[in-house]
Amino acid sequence: MRIGCPTEIKAQEFRVGITPNAAREAVSHGHEVLIQSGAGLGAGFPDEDYADAGASIVATADEIFERAEMVVKVKEPQAAERAMLREGQLLFTYLHLAPDPAQTDDLLKSGATCIAYETVTDARGGLPLLAPMSEVAGRLAPQMGAWTLQKANGGRGVLMGGIPGVTPASVVVIGGGVVGTHAARIAAGMGADVTVLDKSLPRLRQLDELFSRDMNTRYASGGNIAEAVAEADMVIGAVLIPGAAAPKLVTRDMLSTMKPGAVLVDVAIDQGGCFETSKATTHQDPIFEVDGILHYCVANMPGAVARSSTIGLGNATMPFMLALADKGWKQACRDDAHLAQGLNVHAGQITNAPVAEALGRDHVALDTVLA
């Protein structure tokens, strides 16, 4: 198979979809790999690294999309990229379609087959291609929130760990999954007073056993969320419903109960955000204010640490990429029901039920597509 990897064009996105190691593996499997010149520079991988791995360097994204049978990316294709997709082509990347009807319409019109990293599952019910970036985003969230809390940035001017005689910042994490766990761990490590809210009592018990000395846990009822948010210096939204739009757990009315200059960090912004007042921002212009509350809603947070993120993502995606190339997408999905869950769009139809439900669209069953 001819596999192509273009340079990411989303604002301030420095990651790359294929690492030199992944390129070398694909070539060793007998595949041809095309890398757009400069695609890896933001992650510290020059063209020479790819050439040494056996990949071919091409000048433009146009050539990648024209020649490749499978296009491997990081972020959802932008409008210019979607216009280059063609019928029968395979796209393997993050999509996050639930809050993005415009992208969905373009992918449907293209006739391409689109497999989304974020809905591929594993035998334990996890999301193996989302997990590494969730780990990165979770660890970054308190760091970015602490920066936003600084007075020069409009925040309350509260130090995360406090000092002797001065209380630390109060950090509330909504969601105890991968993002929430890593966010809570880092916030606690910075010395903050951390509370994690989740609706799963078994998960809260796990977190209590792991971190009982470092953080508090509360059940995520509406009343408990409202009370915790009102007391917080920083709230980290870390809620995920696979494939679906994130629920709005912090309403605009709740902002009036918060401390002026408090910070909301919405890690769920790729799925529409879990704060009612959230809107996607960029690394270049990351924060905005609503009713005196600062919002940090960068949609590609892991792009800030592009090398670490690229390597982590590449480790996770490589086996699936190779399966798709070795077998073709249909046979690979037949052989691996977890990979098949990643199929979101095929030949003008939505194939993922939660995505279709979030968008209010019809979908075709996976079994029908794979028959």
Side-chain angles (χ1 to χ4, degrees):
M1 184 179 283
R2 184 176 291 138
I3 306 167
C5 178
T7 301
E8 295 293 324
I9 61 173
K10 187 166 185 172
Q12 301 292 297
E13 180 53 72
F14 304 109
R15 291 171 290 179
V16 61
I18 296 179
T19 64
N21 278 340
R24 182 175 290 106
E25 288 291 327
V27 170
S28 74
H29 281 233
H31 306 297
E32 182 181 357
V33 178
L34 308 177
I35 304 291
Q36 184 178 348
S37 181
L41 289 177
F45 298 119
D47 290 348
E48 292 76 14
D49 288 357
Y50 290 101
D52 291 345
S56 299
I57 308 301
V58 302
T60 66
D62 289 11
E63 187 173 356
I64 294 285
F65 280 89
E66 181 181 346
R67 295 177 58 191
E69 297 166 85
M70 173 165 61
V71 176
V72 180
K73 285 176 38 62
V74 178
K75 291 304 291 179
E76 71 279 359
Q78 304 302 289
E81 296 173 310
R82 300 196 296 267
M84 292 188 282
L85 289 167
R86 65 178 186 272
E87 185 175 353
Q89 195 168 44
L90 177 60
L91 174 66
F92 190 39
T93 188
Y94 287 117
L95 292 177
H96 299 291
L97 294 180
D100 196 346
Q103 182 195 177
T104 305
D105 288 340
D106 286 349
L107 295 183
L108 292 172
K109 290 174 186 175
S110 74
T113 297
C114 307
I115 297 179
Y117 295 160
E118 72 273 8
T119 59
V120 174
T121 60
D122 63 22
R124 297 173 296 175
L127 303 169
L129 304 189
L130 189 62
M133 295 306 94
S134 296
E135 291 164 350
V136 172
R139 292 184 179 217
L140 278 175
Q143 181 177 319
M144 297 298 98
W147 175 79
T148 308
L149 264 177
Q150 294 176 21
K151 194 65 180 177
N153 297 317
R156 282 176 49 75
V158 175
L159 183 66
M160 287 286 278
I163 57 173
V166 179
T167 56
S170 172
V171 176
V172 170
V173 180
I174 305 177
V178 176
V179 171
T181 299
H182 285 265
R185 175 181 291 167
I186 296 302
M190 296 172 78
D193 180 10
V194 180
T195 299
V196 180
L197 295 103
D198 199 279
K199 281 196 168 184
S200 168
L201 288 176
R203 182 58 182 162
L204 291 178
R205 291 189 184 99
Q206 289 177 329
L207 291 172
D208 187 69
E209 291 170 2
L210 288 170
F211 307 111
S212 59
R213 297 182 180 179
D214 299 320
M215 64 185 72
N216 306 303
T217 59
R218 296 181 72 175
Y219 184 75
S221 65
N224 282 344
I225 291 174
E227 185 177 304
V229 165
E231 298 169 352
D233 297 301
M234 181 193 307
V235 180
I236 297 173
V239 178
L240 175 70
I241 300 174
K248 308 300 182 187
L249 299 179
V250 175
T251 66
R252 181 162 189 164
D253 288 344
M254 292 165 67
L255 301 191
S256 64
T257 70
M258 297 181 68
K259 304 170 185 176
V263 172
L264 300 178
V265 181
D266 199 340
V267 186
I269 192 64
D270 274 331
Q271 294 294 121
C274 59
F275 308 139
E276 184 181 359
T277 45
S278 290
K279 62 181 181 181
T281 61
T282 67
H283 292 290
Q284 193 170 11
D285 188 15
I287 59 178
F288 63 92
E289 176 265 328
V290 177
D291 297 342
I293 306 303
L294 297 185
H295 295 59
Y296 182 98
C297 303
V298 174
N300 58 328
M301 285 179 64
V305 286
R307 186 171 180 87
S308 297
S309 296
T310 293
I311 295 171
L313 180 60
N315 291 341
T317 59
M318 188 194 310
F320 295 97
M321 180 189 76
L322 293 175
L324 291 166
D326 290 347
K327 302 176 180 181
W329 72 268
K330 184 170 284 190
Q331 190 60 50
C333 288
R334 286 170 177 162
D335 291 349
D336 185 347
H338 301 295
L339 174 59
Q341 293 299 315
L343 187 63
N344 278 208
V345 171
H346 170 65
Q349 296 178 301
I350 297 175
T351 56
N352 182 284
V355 168
E357 182 178 354
L359 291 165
R361 309 284 185 88
D362 294 328
H363 76 284
V364 60
L366 266 177
D367 291 345
T368 301
V369 175
L370 298 178

